[in-house]
Amino acid sequence: MKSILLTSFLLLSTIFTAIGQSPTVIELFTSQGCSSCPPADKLIAHLSKELKEEVIILSYHVDYWDYIGWKDPYASASNTNHQYEYGRTFNIRSVYTPQAVINGRNHVVGSNERELRGAVASETSRIDKSAVTIASLERVAEGVTIQASFKKLPDNAIIMYALTVKEKTTIIKRGENRNKTLKNTHIVANFKKEQTSYNQQDVVLSIPSWVAKDDDITVVIYVSEPENGIVASAAQNVK
């Protein structure tokens, strides 16, 4: 079965390259306080290595598990609010972890490999309605300055700018994952959401204190429409 899945995804990579689509965006809502989340964290790390530039992965750590006894150092109320916005979009009664949202159009249980791969595969037929170009990035004392341009930006576009950290390892001392050592990847350190029609943007994203100077960080930009989900995306490492 694994060989069949690998063959299918090699084919997907060829298709994406041939038609010039922007990467598929996978947003994982997770928490170090949730015992069901580590398998999803491992799965997205694996998919990132397997699919490389064909996907962009953002791991949003939510804070509603903190009450159990372990405060996730990467969690924030902003991340939780972002997930609740998807809850309203999908008209679901309650949010959950681990939840994976694919291109803002579909959601699955983040640890279900078959469903997640199927949701990513379903994106091969999409036609991008816009394009993102990251013109420049600079890491400064205040954070990261971003210059980006957009082609065919929809009138009702919502632009998301996110700063992600490639990898962090944490020893969990309390809560459902007590005494486990967890490796998290593609951790969203900060993000900014803007509703604009300007085709050129200058944005600054601050870097939180838990991000070390030698951490590998990436800027992700994606464009979404209320009715069509994510219609363009791009990512670039910050040197």
Side-chain angles (χ1 to χ4, degrees):
M1 178 60 71
K2 286 187 177 180
S3 63
I4 294 174
L5 290 172
L6 179 57
T7 301
S8 298
F9 266 67
L10 288 174
L11 177 60
L12 277 180
S13 179
T14 302
I15 293 172
F16 273 113
T17 302
I19 63 179
Q21 287 180 348
S22 60
T24 295
V25 176
I26 303 173
E27 297 170 271
L28 178 70
F29 295 94
T30 185
S31 171
Q32 290 184 347
C34 163
S35 61
S36 300
C37 288
D41 299 328
K42 291 179 181 178
L43 177 56
I44 62 164
H46 175 73
L47 289 180
S48 177
K49 291 179 180 179
E50 180 183 321
L51 294 178
K52 303 184 185 324
E53 291 82 10
E54 308 307 328
V55 294
I56 292 174
I57 295 173
L58 303 105
S59 182
Y60 286 92
H61 287 238
V62 297
D63 65 354
Y64 51 79
W65 281 96
D66 288 359
Y67 80 95
I68 271 182
W70 176 254
K71 182 174 173 58
D72 189 327
Y74 315 131
S76 71
S78 296
N79 292 349
T80 299
N81 290 337
H82 182 45
Q83 186 183 23
Y84 271 99
E85 288 176 357
Y86 273 129
R88 291 188 287 272
T89 296
F90 297 127
N91 196 27
I92 55 179
R93 296 182 64 182
S94 61
V95 297
Y96 61 92
T97 55
Q99 180 188 32
V101 177
I102 301 86
N103 268 348
R105 288 192 272 271
N106 189 15
H107 70 99
V108 300
V109 175
S111 56
N112 189 318
E113 183 173 0
R114 179 179 292 277
E115 287 192 358
L116 182 52
R117 286 181 179 272
V120 173
S122 70
E123 290 298 306
T124 59
S125 61
R126 79 181 192 277
I127 299 175
D128 288 343
K129 298 181 66 177
S130 183
V132 183
T133 300
I134 300 176
S136 68
L137 299 174
E138 184 179 2
R139 188 165 182 170
V140 295
E142 305 83 36
V144 176
T145 62
I146 306 164
Q147 290 184 328
S149 60
F150 305 88
K151 183 179 180 181
K152 297 180 180 179
L153 191 64
D155 291 336
N156 58 347
I158 298 170
I159 304 173
M160 183 79 83
Y161 302 84
L163 195 68
T164 68
V165 175
K166 183 177 181 180
E167 184 178 299
K168 285 282 194 179
T169 301
T170 310
I171 299 173
I172 310 301
K173 298 179 180 179
R174 294 179 294 278
E176 290 190 354
N177 290 313
R178 183 176 61 256
N179 298 327
K180 292 182 179 179
T181 299
L182 300 183
K183 181 184 291 186
N184 296 115
T185 62
H186 306 92
I187 308 161
V188 174
N190 193 10
F191 72 91
K192 180 179 291 186
K193 184 181 297 186
E194 294 192 353
Q195 196 161 7
T196 180
S197 59
Y198 295 106
N199 289 320
Q200 291 185 328
Q201 293 284 299
D202 294 337
V203 170
V204 178
L205 286 178
S206 61
I207 301 175
S209 58
W210 58 262
V211 179
K213 289 185 178 180
D214 59 349
D215 278 340
D216 189 344
I217 61 176
T218 296
V219 165
V220 175
I221 305 175
Y222 52 105
V223 180
S224 65
E225 286 185 297
E227 301 299 325
N228 296 304
I230 295 171
V231 296
S233 62
Q236 187 172 313
N237 189 251
V238 180
K239 303 297 184 182

